[in-house]
Amino acid sequence: MKALVPVKRVVDYNVKVRVKSDNTGVDIANVKMSMNPFDEIAVEEAVRLKEKGVVTEVIAVSCGVTQCQETLRTAMAIGADRAILVETDVELQPLAVAKLLKALVDKEQPGLIILGKQAIDDDCNQTGQMLAALCDLPQATFASKVEVEGGVLKVTREVDGGLETLSMSMPAVITTDLRLNEPRYVTLPNIMKAKKKQMDIFKPADLGVDVAPRLKTLKVNEPPKRGAGVKVADVAALVDKLKNEAKVI
């Protein structure tokens, strides 16, 4: 059984993002980029399933600019067997990515598609759900535990009231939560091995997909800066400020 794992190249989570001076978006010039943390968890889970003998091949997929090859090499260093890059300079939105992934699902016929629940740059949390709808496949979002028993997929997911366990047939789509696993440290020998692994490159037109944006970003602003705190003399003064200045009571 193949496992398809989409990965996204995003601004590294340790970097403090800056908004462009013209407010058109986030400045990514000379900024460290890395794999989306949720996608890293997805790759790790696919590799663990391969180590258990459930999955036979792990295929990492990325959609975007040429530099996404670095992200795919990282995925292969973690343990993916080969990679596919859908190369485009167009700003990709969740629906366009879902359509590209659907074309690759039709082409590769994986038994399992595992992807991060959301990207830390746009926080859309849409691609997995859209892909499941386009492919007409069962889905389990926010997975905190994944098991395959006798050809049946069991996924434990986090909900507001606690944990929910879903049972479904495969092929299926899973989106990963933070508590699913802790990705392994990528070693230098595995980084060197990843350079020799197969990477196929396609264009959206090769897959017959129109990736033109459907949404337009009007303006991007930094959040307002927090004001300095003040000390109050007693409880009466605190209540007065909460009521008359903060207006929260």
Side-chain angles (χ1 to χ4, degrees):
M1 179 176 74
K2 293 180 185 177
L4 193 74
V5 188
V7 296
K8 185 176 183 181
R9 178 178 180 264
V10 298
V11 175
D12 190 87
Y13 68 92
N14 287 313
V15 173
K16 188 181 186 312
V17 295
R18 300 186 308 273
V19 175
K20 291 180 180 176
S21 57
D22 57 2
N23 295 107
T24 57
V26 172
D27 186 7
I28 59 171
N30 302 314
V31 169
K32 182 185 177 185
M33 307 292 281
S34 61
M35 188 190 303
N36 179 45
F38 289 102
D39 296 341
E40 199 171 355
I41 292 168
V43 176
E44 174 66 27
E45 191 63 24
V47 173
R48 290 188 185 188
L49 289 172
K50 184 187 173 188
E51 289 170 348
K52 290 176 184 175
V54 174
V55 170
T56 55
E57 184 182 29
V58 178
I59 308 164
V61 179
S62 193
C63 306
V65 294
T66 307
Q67 290 88 335
C68 289
Q69 290 186 32
E70 300 165 15
T71 309
L72 288 170
R73 294 291 178 199
T74 302
M76 289 191 286
I78 294 172
D81 298 292
R82 59 186 174 95
I84 298 173
L85 171 63
V86 183
E87 191 176 5
T88 176
D89 292 328
V90 177
E91 182 186 347
L92 295 174
Q93 294 171 353
L95 181 59
V97 176
K99 287 180 177 178
L100 291 170
L101 294 177
K102 191 221 181 258
L104 292 174
V105 167
D106 292 342
K107 183 175 184 295
E108 295 289 343
Q109 295 294 309
L112 204 55
I113 303 105
I114 310 178
L115 61 165
K117 69 172 184 176
Q118 64 196 81
I120 62 171
D121 52 1
D122 56 23
D123 269 338
C124 283
N125 183 14
Q126 295 174 348
T127 307
Q129 293 89 326
M130 288 176 168
L131 176 61
L134 290 172
C135 296
D136 195 23
L137 294 176
Q139 63 174 310
T141 55
F142 318 133
S144 61
K145 187 177 181 181
V146 176
E147 298 172 298
V148 179
E149 297 177 2
V152 176
L153 180 66
K154 288 187 178 180
V155 178
T156 303
R157 58 190 299 267
E158 299 183 355
V159 294
D160 291 340
L163 298 176
E164 176 184 66
T165 301
L166 302 177
S167 179
M168 65 193 72
S169 59
M170 294 184 288
V173 177
I174 299 173
T175 70
T176 62
D177 212 338
L178 277 176
R179 277 165 286 280
L180 179 58
N181 62 52
E182 186 174 337
R184 68 194 68 189
Y185 178 76
V186 180
T187 61
L188 183 59
N190 286 336
I191 292 172
M192 301 307 292
K193 288 176 187 174
K195 292 182 179 180
K196 298 179 181 178
K197 290 184 179 179
Q198 177 185 345
M199 182 184 297
D200 299 317
I201 300 176
F202 297 100
K203 299 287 185 183
D206 300 333
L207 302 173
V209 177
D210 175 20
V211 294
R214 264 64 173 179
L215 305 173
K216 183 180 179 182
T217 301
L218 300 179
K219 194 174 185 182
V220 177
N221 288 324
E222 286 190 16
K225 288 182 169 57
R226 293 179 62 178
V230 294
K231 287 184 179 180
V232 292
D234 51 34
V235 174
L238 173 63
V239 172
D240 178 66
K241 284 186 175 293
L242 290 174
K243 184 181 287 185
N244 299 317
E245 292 184 21
K247 299 189 186 301
V248 294
I249 59 172

